[in-house]
Amino acid sequence: MVKKQDLHPQVKLMIASSADRKGPSFGKGAATLLHGIEQNGSLNKTAKDLHMAYSKAWSMIKKVEEGLGFTLIERYGARGSKLTEEGKKFLELYDRYDEKVETYAKEAFEEVFQEL
């Protein structure tokens, strides 16, 4: 039998718009892109750092923006990109939510799997 110390919880956290239930969601991938843009000042550099095609990164951001109903980033062409105020606030809230869910998942895991 597997040992408890060899296991850990893994949570896939997504926030979906109720207006478009089948549409794009905001999750760790979008959050990673936004954090990179915040750090690098560039969607292009962030996509390269993540070994992702720029077109895929841009498409992902646009789809998430459409689902959320507001703009996450401002693009300045060759001069880079930055998060909008709404984008910064949403990312901050997502990060807080993600931290709480991860903490809860670890606590629940310890409680439920204590018998292993």
Side-chain angles (χ1 to χ4, degrees), residues 2-106:
V2 70
K3 297 176 184 173
K4 181 179 156 198
Q5 64 263 24
D6 294 332
L7 302 173
H8 65 277
Q10 185 174 6
V11 177
K12 182 176 180 179
L13 182 64
M14 302 293 282
I15 298 175
S17 168
S18 38
D20 189 8
R21 293 173 199 255
K22 294 182 181 178
S25 301
F26 188 95
K28 291 190 189 266
T32 299
L33 280 173
L34 293 185
H35 280 295
I37 293 165
E38 203 168 36
Q39 181 179 10
N40 297 321
S42 168
L43 176 60
N44 190 30
K45 178 163 179 13
T46 299
K48 285 179 184 175
D49 289 350
L50 296 172
H51 307 287
M52 177 186 288
Y54 173 81
S55 59
K56 180 177 179 178
W58 176 240
S59 175
M60 185 177 172
I61 293 291
K62 290 309 292 173
K63 287 177 183 175
V64 170
E65 288 178 336
E66 288 171 15
L68 293 173
F70 59 88
T71 304
L72 294 167
I73 66 170
E74 294 176 8
R75 290 180 45 207
Y76 300 107
R79 295 178 313 209
S81 304
K82 75 173 193 171
L83 272 58
T84 63
E85 288 304 313
E86 286 178 309
K88 287 180 189 178
K89 182 65 176 176
F90 191 82
L91 181 59
E92 176 188 316
L93 294 172
Y94 175 84
D95 286 343
R96 285 179 23 210
Y97 182 52
D98 182 49
E99 186 178 323
K100 284 184 175 284
V101 169
E102 290 287 342
T103 298
Y104 175 76
K106 288 174 186 172

